[in-house]
Amino acid sequence: MESKVLNWKIKKSKFETHPSITMVSTNTRQRNVCKRRLNPVLAVPPSSVILHTDESGEFPESRNSSSSSNASLSSCAGSLLCHPNTVGIMGGGSVDSTLSFVRKLVHWSKENEETCTPFVLCSDPVLNRELLSLERNSSTLCSRNARSQFDHSPIVENLLSKRVFLEKSGAQCIVVPCHISHSWHDEVFKGCSIPSLHMAECVSRELKEAKLKPLEAGSPLRIGVLATDVTLKAGFYQEKLQNEGFEVVLPDKATIEHTVIPAIDAINRKDMEGARNLLRIALQVLLVREVNTVILASNDMCDLLPRDDPLLKKCIDPMDALVMSTIKWAQQAVKEANRRTTTRVKVRLLLQ
C-alpha cells in the first residue's frame, strides 16, 4: 500500500547516503501522462521528484557546480508545483508519523475527488533525531532550570529553513504533522507568505463544531490532554482549547511522574507491553475526572493501543483533525482559484 500511496521506487542506499530527502507529489492525471513518455526502468516517475541535500543541508540549486540539478529543480518547481492547492508538509520527529499523515491525506482527499491533494514533503533526519530526542527524553528536562538551559535555537533554525524551502517550492499552505514542533510555531511562521495550519487549532475547532454536551448538566465541557511532559509544558494545546471555551484537564504531577514519563521510558527500552499498561492507567485517571474526550497528543502513545481498544475510542488523534483541515483548505483553494479564473474570463469578454 505504501508504494501506491507514495508512488516512488528508490533504492535503500540512496536514503542512507543522503541526509535529507524532499518528495514532491502531483496529481494522478499528470502522473499517467508522464508515465507514457518515460522509460519506467530508467527514470523515476515524474510524479515523485526526489531532491537531495548535501552534508551542510544545502539544496542542489545553491551549488554552482550542479547545473543539471539546478535545471531539474527549476523544471520541477515550474511544472509540478503550480497548483493553487499545493500543500507543503514539514516532517517532524517521526518519519513514520509523517508518512502516516501523507497516507491519510492521499486516501481521504480522494474519497470525494478524482485525484489526491498535491503536496511537497520535506523530511530531514537531523531534525527528526533532534525532535525525537527532545520529546522522548522529556523526563530529564522536567525541572524549569533544565528546560531553560536547553538550547532550542538549532531546532528553530532548522524548522525555519524548511519553511522557507517549502514556500519557494510552490506550496500554498504548510502543515506540520508533529506535536513538539508546534512549540515554536509562532516563531517559525512569523512573516510567512502563505498560511499554515496549527494542529491544536484544528482539533480544537473540530471539537467545537461537534457541539459536545457536558457529561453532567451545568458542568463545563472538559477536554483531557495526554502528551509527553515537554509538549504539555509548551502549553499550546491548553491555549487553543481554552480559546474555544473548553476547560482543559491535564494529568496531575503524580500521573505524569508515575505513568506518563515511565511510559515514554518504556517505549525507549522497546518495552511496548509495559508502556501500553502505563498508558491505560493514565487514560483512566483522566476519564474519571469527567472529561468528554482525551486528546492523545503523542504519536508514540497513539500507536501503542490496538485500533479496537475501548480506551482508544474515547481519545482523539490530533493528526486526523490536521488531515481533515488540510483537505478542507485544499478544496477551498481550488474553489477560490476557479472563481478568480471565471472572473478574469468575464472581464476579458466584457472588454472585447
Side-chain angles (χ1 to χ4, degrees):
M1 180 177 292
E2 291 185 4
S3 61
K4 292 182 180 178
V5 173
L6 300 180
N7 191 31
W8 65 352
K9 294 182 179 180
I10 186 168
K11 293 182 179 179
K12 181 180 179 182
S13 60
K14 291 186 178 181
F15 285 96
E16 295 173 342
T17 56
H18 294 278
S20 185
I21 298 173
T22 298
M23 180 178 73
V24 180
S25 173
T26 60
N27 62 47
T28 307
R29 185 173 299 172
Q30 283 181 313
R31 181 181 70 228
N32 293 338
V33 171
C34 294
K35 275 187 175 180
R36 289 195 294 268
R37 295 179 181 175
L38 294 175
N39 184 335
V41 176
L42 300 178
V44 175
S47 57
S48 301
V49 179
I50 312 302
L51 306 177
H52 303 289
T53 64
D54 56 23
E55 292 295 336
S56 65
E58 296 296 328
F59 290 95
E61 71 272 22
S62 65
R63 293 155 55 183
N64 295 332
S65 61
S66 302
S67 57
S68 61
S69 296
N70 294 343
S72 175
L73 180 60
S74 300
S75 173
C76 168
S79 61
L80 297 182
L81 299 177
C82 56
H83 307 287
N85 61 333
T86 298
V87 177
I89 304 173
M90 189 186 302
S94 169
V95 176
D96 289 337
S97 64
T98 302
L99 294 181
S100 175
F101 174 87
V102 172
R103 282 192 290 269
K104 291 178 180 179
L105 178 66
V106 171
H107 288 301
W108 294 359
S109 65
K110 289 177 68 176
E111 286 183 355
N112 299 315
E113 303 288 339
E114 180 182 352
T115 59
C116 70
T117 301
F119 65 87
V120 52
L121 187 155
C122 187
S123 181
D124 179 2
V126 173
L127 180 62
N128 299 153
R129 287 193 297 269
E130 290 176 344
L131 291 172
L132 192 61
S133 176
L134 175 61
E135 188 166 34
R136 289 190 170 181
N137 294 317
S138 59
S139 58
T140 64
L141 301 173
C142 286
S143 71
R144 185 179 301 274
N145 290 336
R147 289 195 305 274
S148 63
Q149 293 174 5
F150 191 88
D151 185 11
H152 295 145
S153 57
I155 294 178
V156 175
E157 290 174 3
N158 200 329
L159 289 169
L160 183 59
S161 69
K162 301 299 184 294
R163 188 214 89 184
V164 173
F165 172 75
L166 290 172
E167 283 182 279
K168 293 181 178 179
S169 296
Q172 300 301 310
C173 178
I174 297 177
V175 298
V176 188
C178 171
H179 301 282
I180 188 62
S181 294
H182 285 74
S183 300
W184 311 282
H185 186 275
D186 293 344
E187 186 175 355
V188 170
F189 287 96
K190 182 180 181 179
C192 187
S193 62
I194 57 178
S196 62
L197 300 183
H198 193 294
M199 186 150 50
E201 284 184 356
C202 293
V203 70
S204 299
R205 191 182 309 116
E206 183 177 281
L207 287 170
K208 187 72 172 182
E209 294 172 354
K211 299 185 183 301
L212 302 172
K213 295 182 179 180
L215 297 183
E216 286 190 1
S219 299
L221 281 168
R222 295 189 179 96
I223 304 298
V225 179
L226 190 61
T228 59
D229 185 66
V230 68
T231 298
L232 292 178
K233 288 293 191 294
F236 52 87
Y237 274 104
Q238 298 92 303
E239 176 189 352
K240 302 303 181 183
L241 287 165
Q242 289 168 354
N243 288 345
E244 294 293 347
F246 295 108
E247 180 180 312
V248 182
V249 179
L250 303 178
D252 56 25
K253 182 179 179 181
T255 301
I256 291 177
E257 291 180 352
H258 299 296
T259 62
V260 177
I261 291 176
I264 299 301
D265 291 340
I267 292 174
N268 292 339
R269 300 193 309 270
K270 307 299 181 183
D271 177 14
M272 297 308 172
E273 185 61 30
R276 191 174 298 117
N277 292 333
L278 289 166
L279 174 59
R280 288 195 175 103
I281 295 173
L283 285 173
Q284 289 167 348
V285 169
L286 280 177
L287 290 170
V288 298
R289 296 172 65 183
E290 299 179 348
V291 299
N292 286 71
T293 189
V294 176
I295 295 176
L296 203 51
S298 167
N299 296 323
D300 285 335
M301 294 181 186
C302 283
D303 294 337
L304 277 177
L305 299 179
R307 296 295 96 184
D308 59 349
D309 193 293
L311 281 176
L312 193 60
K313 295 178 181 179
K314 298 180 181 180
C315 300
I316 292 179
D317 184 352
M319 199 79 73
D320 294 347
L322 182 62
V323 172
M324 293 308 302
S325 295
T326 302
I327 293 172
K328 290 178 181 178
W329 172 87
Q331 292 171 342
Q332 186 61 35
V334 171
K335 291 179 181 178
E336 288 295 323
N338 291 338
R339 183 186 60 79
R340 290 193 295 268
T341 299
T342 301
T343 301
R344 286 196 296 268
V345 171
K346 289 181 178 179
V347 171
R348 191 178 301 115
L349 291 174
L350 288 173
L351 294 176
Q352 288 180 351

